[in-house]
Amino acid sequence: MKKPIKHKGVKTFLVIIVAVIITLSFVWATNQNHGIAVPTTDSIWLRPSNIKTETPLWGFVDGIRVGLAPIPGPRGLLRIFTPYMGQPDMRLINFIAIEPIPINDTRRGYSELEFSSLDNQPGKRFWSSNDSLALEPLDPTYPARGVIETINGQETLTVYIFSEPFENGAKVYVRLRFYANRPHEFELTTYAREDSAPIGYCVLSATMGNYARLRNLYLRNTVKRAGDVWPDYKGVHFALHDSTTVDQMICDQDTDTYYFIAAPNEKDPMNVTYDPRTTPNWFYEGIVGTQYWYKQHPDPALMGLVSGRYCYWASEAPIPGGISYENFELLEPFRQGATFVFGIEPEEPEKIIRKIKKGQF
């Protein structure tokens, strides 16, 4: 079985260029009106209508939402919004990158860092569709509405997100789906195109754990603290990945579902002192929440991976309270149509874990 692939080999000049663009665009995204039409509400759902230059944003009126560029910010990322966490309406709480790895290859694709082959700009271009057939690039300013239907007795909202090909030959896309009875999470299902390089892994990486200052991983028999994983790290780059095997994860045995759970170690994350060099986009807004991935019926080789940062991305500003988890992801050998769920709950992790163990989550 292949070992997990660590972040390496990205050229220094590329990282610097992309870091500057990401920082400036994130500041703009979280502090400005992006000037494109807002989505429409449809019962409990928020989704685009059929107008050009509308915001590519899908999800719940009163729950979690997922968006794409041209909502300002780095391209090649899904944007996650949680207004129910006490945040301003378009305040980002995290991103998800798509990072495929071909079989027998060490090159992880980076949807956020690679330059587009379509316009030579940083970040892979994403587009949306109501079905799985939109393999050629579509106008991202004319997003799909998404399809509302009933599945197993639950109303759902579904949209497909496509990416242009990666430098390593991977050609992948994901299905994004929301369930009416789960307003604080969404499902991502991964697919490879027929003309793709054979895929070993299709990693979905939540890339901005430092914003919420995630420091505790909640496992079956312990809490893994970032400060214990990297006790001496004080650099400005990523600390190396730390891995968690599936047998260490919290499990709902009745449904064969395994949870990878992360949360801050602070009770009042807004009331902290930031280093003067910290840009305002890193100032946390909102209440404390718990972020999680889960996978039902996983491959025995499933692993949870985290990387750490001591300083905020693209800066020398230390994170208040010390090193925290940044990238937060599940790594599983690729299977066509494999499904992963990501969520953010405004509850303490201990309460969520009690519910999982009782089969009530």
Side-chain angles (χ1 to χ4, degrees):
M1 187 63 64
K2 287 180 60 177
K3 295 182 179 179
I5 306 298
K6 295 183 171 66
H7 290 275
K8 57 183 178 180
V10 180
K11 294 182 180 179
T12 302
F13 80 92
L14 175 61
V15 172
I16 293 172
I17 291 172
V18 175
V20 171
I21 292 171
I22 287 173
T23 300
L24 292 177
S25 59
F26 182 37
V27 172
W28 181 260
T30 55
N31 290 282
Q32 302 292 330
N33 186 331
H34 49 75
I36 51 182
V38 297
T40 59
T41 59
D42 191 344
S43 180
I44 64 170
W45 304 113
L46 189 75
R47 61 178 182 151
S49 63
N50 290 317
I51 341 176
K52 191 173 173 61
T53 67
E54 189 164 7
T55 306
L57 184 68
W58 303 266
F60 292 91
V61 173
D62 297 317
I64 201 164
R65 305 166 184 177
V66 177
L68 301 177
I71 296 175
R75 276 200 332 201
L77 293 170
L78 306 180
R79 294 116 162 84
I80 303 174
F81 303 93
T82 53
Y84 58 91
M85 294 284 294
Q87 297 179 310
D89 193 49
M90 291 298 289
R91 184 59 154 113
L92 285 158
I93 194 168
N94 212 329
F95 294 106
I96 290 181
I98 301 174
E99 300 182 350
I101 307 168
I103 292 175
N104 299 322
D105 200 332
T106 60
R107 295 173 298 163
R108 184 189 280 231
Y110 293 98
S111 61
E112 174 187 5
L113 295 177
E114 291 184 17
F115 275 66
S116 169
S117 61
L118 299 172
D119 57 18
N120 203 35
Q121 297 299 310
K124 291 299 183 185
R125 188 184 292 179
F126 288 174
W127 61 94
S128 59
S129 174
N130 289 332
D131 57 40
S132 61
L133 304 178
L135 302 182
E136 297 302 318
L138 298 175
D139 184 349
T141 67
Y142 201 160
R145 293 209 73 196
V147 176
I148 296 174
E149 59 185 331
T150 298
I151 299 175
N152 296 327
Q154 284 297 325
E155 188 169 280
T156 64
L157 171 62
T158 302
V159 64
Y160 288 80
I161 309 298
F162 292 83
S163 171
E164 62 179 292
F166 290 80
E167 294 173 7
N168 59 18
K171 299 179 181 180
V172 297
Y173 60 97
V174 299
R175 186 189 70 201
L176 169 65
R177 177 170 286 165
F178 303 87
Y179 288 83
N181 64 331
R182 308 288 289 183
H184 299 158
E185 65 185 38
F186 53 86
E187 178 185 273
L188 290 169
T189 302
T190 55
Y191 300 92
R193 291 170 38 170
E194 290 184 0
D195 57 346
S196 173
I199 302 299
Y201 299 91
C202 187
V203 185
L204 302 170
S205 181
T207 67
M208 201 174 70
N210 283 173
Y211 174 64
R213 301 193 294 276
L214 304 176
R215 290 202 176 91
N216 290 342
L217 286 178
Y218 290 82
L219 308 180
R220 182 172 295 190
N221 296 314
T222 188
V223 176
K224 187 183 288 188
R225 295 174 175 82
D228 295 334
V229 176
W230 303 287
D232 303 316
Y233 186 78
K234 298 290 192 295
V236 298
H237 304 295
F238 285 101
L240 292 179
H241 272 120
D242 177 79
S243 60
T244 297
T245 57
V246 68
D247 60 291
Q248 297 175 287
M249 297 179 189
I250 292 167
C251 176
D252 180 343
Q253 295 184 347
D254 290 340
T255 59
D256 192 34
T257 304
Y258 289 78
Y259 292 80
F260 195 42
I261 300 170
N265 65 344
E266 304 167 58
K267 297 297 184 183
D268 185 11
M270 291 183 64
N271 187 25
V272 298
T273 300
Y274 291 90
D275 184 280
R277 294 168 289 180
T278 307
T279 53
N281 56 286
W282 288 115
F283 292 5
Y284 185 78
E285 296 181 79
I287 60 175
V288 177
T290 300
Q291 302 191 25
Y292 58 87
W293 288 99
Y294 66 76
K295 180 76 175 73
Q296 190 173 30
H297 310 310
D299 187 292
L302 176 74
M303 300 184 74
L305 297 183
V306 288
S307 65
R309 288 192 70 88
Y310 178 78
C311 294
Y312 285 117
W313 168 261
S315 80
E316 296 183 356
I319 298 164
I323 194 166
S324 60
Y325 298 119
E326 179 71 316
N327 295 85
F328 172 54
E329 61 200 36
L330 292 179
L331 184 81
E332 183 183 54
F334 179 76
R335 290 179 289 172
Q336 186 80 337
T339 293
F340 305 84
V341 176
F342 183 81
I344 303 178
E345 280 286 346
E347 289 187 340
E348 296 180 351
E350 293 85 357
K351 185 174 181 179
I352 293 173
I353 292 167
R354 286 195 296 269
K355 289 181 180 178
I356 292 171
K357 291 181 176 179
K358 294 178 180 179
Q360 298 173 348
F361 186 64

